[in-house]
Amino acid sequence: MRRHFLHVLLIGCLAAALPAAHAQGALTPAQSAWAKAESRNVEDRFVAEVAAIVGVPAARVREAMPDERRITATVARLLAALEQDLGEPLGEARKAAIHAADERRKRELAAIGARAAQR
């Protein structure tokens, strides 16, 4: 179910990132497939980075991801779930590092639409 959330999140982020691509015309099936794969790679890197910051396996981070697509504060919910799971606060330095990773993730996801249209 949580993996499903990541896929829904990816699709949502792609939809938000694709206006530039649509301005030039619809993406081809190959471009869409590339964008989906690239988005999945970005999400995988984010999960791996959070896992390294927190010191837990990536699977544990995936399990902590919120599973409702209407959640817009994904990182806040992720932090709360990880803290609850670990039974201790993460600390400001780790929270800041996770927020920075999330900002990078958002920038990378936003750039995918334009890059897909150029492929």
Side-chain angles (χ1 to χ4, degrees), residues 28-52:
T28 67
Q31 290 169 326
S32 295
W34 178 87
K36 184 176 178 181
E38 189 63 21
S39 295
R40 196 174 312 117
N41 290 338
V42 168
E43 291 296 338
D44 288 346
R45 283 192 301 271
F46 171 72
V47 168
E49 188 171 357
V50 171

Side-chain angles (χ1 to χ4, degrees), residues 18-107:
L18 292 179
H22 287 294
Q24 297 174 351
L27 294 178
T28 67
Q31 290 169 326
S32 295
W34 178 87
K36 184 176 178 181
E38 189 63 21
S39 295
R40 196 174 312 117
N41 290 338
V42 168
E43 291 296 338
D44 288 346
R45 283 192 301 271
F46 171 72
V47 168
E49 188 171 357
V50 171
I53 292 166
V54 178
V56 299
R60 199 164 181 185
V61 173
R62 287 188 194 285
E63 289 173 7
M65 294 290 287
D67 60 354
E68 297 180 32
R69 83 168 94 176
R70 69 177 183 267
I71 301 296
T72 56
T74 303
V75 172
R77 296 290 295 268
L78 174 61
L79 292 173
L82 286 170
E83 287 178 332
Q84 182 177 6
D85 189 36
L86 295 172
E88 64 184 42
L90 290 172
E92 293 305 314
R94 290 199 287 179
K95 286 181 183 179
I98 292 170
H99 279 286
D102 184 54
E103 288 303 315
R104 280 189 298 279
R105 177 186 68 85
K106 288 177 183 176
R107 281 193 309 272

